[in-house]
Amino acid sequence: MRILVVEDEPRLAETLTQLLRDGGYEADTVEDGLRGLELAQKGTYGLLVLDVMLPGLDGFGVCRALREKGKSVPILMLTARTQVADKVAGLDCGADDYMTKPFAPEELLARVRALTRRQGESPAQELAFADVRLDAAAHTLSRGERSVQLSPKEFELLRLLMERAGSVCSKGMILERLWGGEPAEDNNVEAYVSFLRKKLFYLDARTTVVNLRKVGYRLEDGEKA
Ligand code: CA
């Protein structure tokens, strides 16, 4: 699972990132509230660790904006301030939990685990191949900080290719998965492969869909090819 840390104090951001990575999560960091909001909306993240005092837009603002847009990503607010008023404000704007700095590393990880469990997410909901990741809940394909939305058939096609990474998927297998054996022309497969390639290209991904003549399709890591 990927976690976004929005924290403008460089040392604390570094500490948080390392702590989360040690805990088995992938973590990205941004120091500006507006940039944090922009990234958090993409649906790539399973959790937000959000500071209150931030440049651009403060943590309350980020939180409120995400909830107003219907984004349900769990949010753990983090602040140096200890007033009850801040805690109430944080929870009122839609945060799921609240911690004050300084915090014990074990406690932060425990709360992260609790929040991600509550959301029912597990690493199995994310498939990865080479430099791209596929979010099975949000149907987004991402590479680094960039992500794109996949249509249901693009998603099914990529999921099939990822599940069978390293082997070839025949056109027959793809037709079966995407159209459930209903009559479909072979060139529909080609069309969806082409859509998928465009999205991989947009992400500037190394991952490519290779066409093996008369055999089928296979995902390949472009750098190894
Ligand atoms: Ca701050």
Side-chain angles (χ1 to χ4, degrees):
M1 177 183 293
R2 205 166 188 86
I3 295 177
L4 180 63
V5 176
V6 191
E7 170 60 70
D8 60 320
E9 291 163 46
R11 281 175 58 197
L12 181 56
E14 175 63 32
T15 303
L16 282 166
T17 306
Q18 197 53 53
L19 182 61
L20 291 168
R21 286 181 184 153
D22 291 347
Y25 300 95
E26 291 181 85
D28 296 329
T29 309
V30 285
E31 54 185 39
D32 177 280
L34 286 172
R35 179 83 181 120
L37 174 60
E38 187 188 322
L39 288 176
Q41 286 181 71
K42 292 183 177 172
T44 318
Y45 296 100
L47 178 80
L48 241 67
V49 177
L50 184 62
D51 188 26
V52 170
M53 300 297 283
L54 290 166
L57 179 65
D58 73 13
F60 298 137
V62 173
C63 194
R64 202 171 294 119
L66 284 170
R67 297 308 186 228
E68 278 169 9
K69 288 168 195 291
K71 306 291 178 188
S72 60
V73 56
I75 296 174
L76 173 58
M77 298 273 274
L78 215 55
T79 183
R81 297 187 291 182
T82 54
Q83 286 91 342
V84 174
D86 278 353
K87 181 168 183 170
V88 171
L91 297 173
D92 271 355
C93 76
D96 299 271
D97 203 355
Y98 196 96
M99 278 187 84
T100 50
K101 302 180 222 173
F103 53 83
E106 306 75 39
E107 189 186 355
L108 182 104
L109 283 177
R111 293 199 187 201
V112 165
R113 278 195 299 273
L115 285 170
T116 53
R117 254 201 315 273
R118 205 175 298 168
Q119 201 198 21
E121 281 210 24
S122 66
Q125 281 193 279
E126 188 176 274
L127 289 166
F129 180 86
D131 58 345
V132 293
R133 298 182 317 280
L134 179 66
D135 184 326
H139 287 201
T140 51
L141 173 64
S142 51
R143 179 188 157 272
E145 290 184 350
R146 287 185 106 172
S147 68
V148 280
Q149 190 68 44
L150 299 182
S151 74
K153 283 197 165 47
E154 290 166 352
F155 169 77
E156 283 305 332
L157 173 60
L158 184 58
R159 184 156 74 167
L160 176 65
L161 290 165
M162 280 186 162
E163 284 168 354
R164 293 182 53 84
S167 5
V168 177
C169 297
S170 69
K171 273 191 179 177
M173 290 174 61
I174 296 171
L175 286 170
E176 177 64 34
R177 173 73 77 99
L178 267 65
W179 287 276
E182 285 174 36
E185 297 295 331
D186 275 6
N187 61 10
N188 284 350
V189 173
E190 274 148 25
Y192 282 97
V193 166
S194 153
F195 297 153
L196 207 49
R197 281 184 179 141
K198 282 187 183 131
K199 295 199 170 170
L200 288 165
F201 182 77
Y202 167 78
L203 293 174
D204 201 22
R206 295 199 316 261
T207 303
T208 53
V209 184
V210 173
N211 183 5
L212 300 150
R213 202 170 286 274
K214 294 188 176 164
V215 184
Y217 297 88
R218 184 172 67 199
L219 275 186
E220 279 190 13
D221 184 340
E223 247 175 28
K224 289 177 193 161

